[in-house]
Amino acid sequence: MSPTPTRRQPDATRQRLLDAAFAEIHRYGYHASSLDQILRATDVTKGALYHHFRNKQALGLAVIDEVVRPWIETRWRPMLESDRPLQAAIDHVSAHADTVDDDMLALGCPFANLVQELAGSEPAFQQPLFDIFFEWKRGLMESVRKSQAIGEGRTDVDPEDIAVFVISAIEGMWAIAKASRCHEQFRASHRGLVLFLESMRA
């Protein structure tokens, strides 16, 4: 999410604030996150912060839309864009198990963390978080349909059922990993999901 060299300085400042806010919220949660800490991390003035984001809520909503949403999108778009969506999903899950470091394992999935903290108590955040889930589900459903259409995947399964199950499995992996802080548990859950995906072959 780093700014490109061709961006104008105001855009670069805004992106630094978003990146720092994402890191702060991921580590401490939205409610416990500190605007002062975000300013210290970015060396940005409070006036510059409020130029880009009128308050903490606006900053949090921008983090969800501009950082968390693209992060989740990387979980489903490669499958949808692949000529063999099911195989792409299997390859992605197999590779992902060993890409998470100790810090990420302890912090958990940023999307799931925000859903658990905000979706039931902060109305302004409910729809943006639901939209991310809906886009994720829709992308997986389209991937399943594509896999079925090309004869790669089973046709006796409902794409929505598969999509919701896979999302639930992925978020469950993160929850177990966060609770146990155990890489082997994380790898084991990935192996289980790969077995399920393999069972979806035509």
Side-chain angles (χ1 to χ4, degrees), residues 7-192:
R7 283 184 177 170
R8 293 176 300 171
Q9 189 58 39
D11 295 328
T13 298
R14 187 177 189 280
Q15 190 61 51
R16 293 204 337 262
L17 288 166
L18 282 172
D19 291 342
F22 170 76
E24 177 79 1
I25 292 169
H26 191 200
R27 184 167 296 278
Y28 300 109
Y30 171 76
H31 288 299
S33 62
S34 165
L35 290 180
D36 288 339
Q37 179 57 38
I38 292 168
L39 293 175
R40 283 192 291 270
T42 56
D43 197 27
V44 171
T45 66
K46 188 168 290 188
L49 169 66
Y50 288 119
H51 171 74
H52 292 286
F53 307 101
R54 67 182 182 275
N55 53 33
K56 182 179 178 180
Q57 183 184 91
L59 177 58
L61 289 169
V63 166
I64 289 172
D65 186 57
E66 299 179 45
V67 184
V68 177
R69 183 192 295 265
W71 188 81
I72 289 293
E73 189 172 323
T74 65
R75 270 64 189 158
W76 58 262
R77 187 160 293 282
M79 279 67 82
L80 183 59
E81 295 176 347
S82 173
D83 292 335
R84 300 175 64 203
L86 180 55
Q87 186 59 54
I90 291 169
D91 292 343
H92 178 80
V93 173
S94 298
H96 183 258
D98 293 313
T99 63
V100 176
D101 60 21
D102 289 343
D103 197 40
M104 189 69 178
L105 201 72
L107 294 177
C109 172
F111 173 63
N113 292 350
L114 287 166
V115 169
Q116 291 167 8
E117 181 183 9
L118 300 174
S121 60
E122 296 286 344
F125 291 91
Q126 290 171 0
Q127 192 62 48
L129 290 169
F130 176 78
D131 288 344
I132 292 176
F133 163 74
F134 181 79
E135 289 175 5
W136 191 1
K137 185 181 78 165
R138 183 179 60 191
L140 292 182
M141 288 171 63
E142 291 178 10
S143 298
V144 173
R145 292 192 185 105
K146 182 177 179 180
S147 182
Q148 292 172 331
I150 64 174
E152 181 194 31
R154 287 168 47 185
T155 58
D156 62 336
V157 295
D158 182 85
E160 184 172 11
D161 290 347
I162 300 305
V164 172
F165 175 79
V166 169
I167 293 171
S168 300
I170 290 171
E171 295 301 356
M173 292 176 186
W174 279 108
I176 292 170
K178 186 176 180 180
S180 66
R181 302 193 181 189
C182 175
H183 283 276
E184 180 49 37
Q185 293 284 347
F186 198 57
R187 286 190 288 268
S189 62
H190 280 70
R191 290 194 297 269

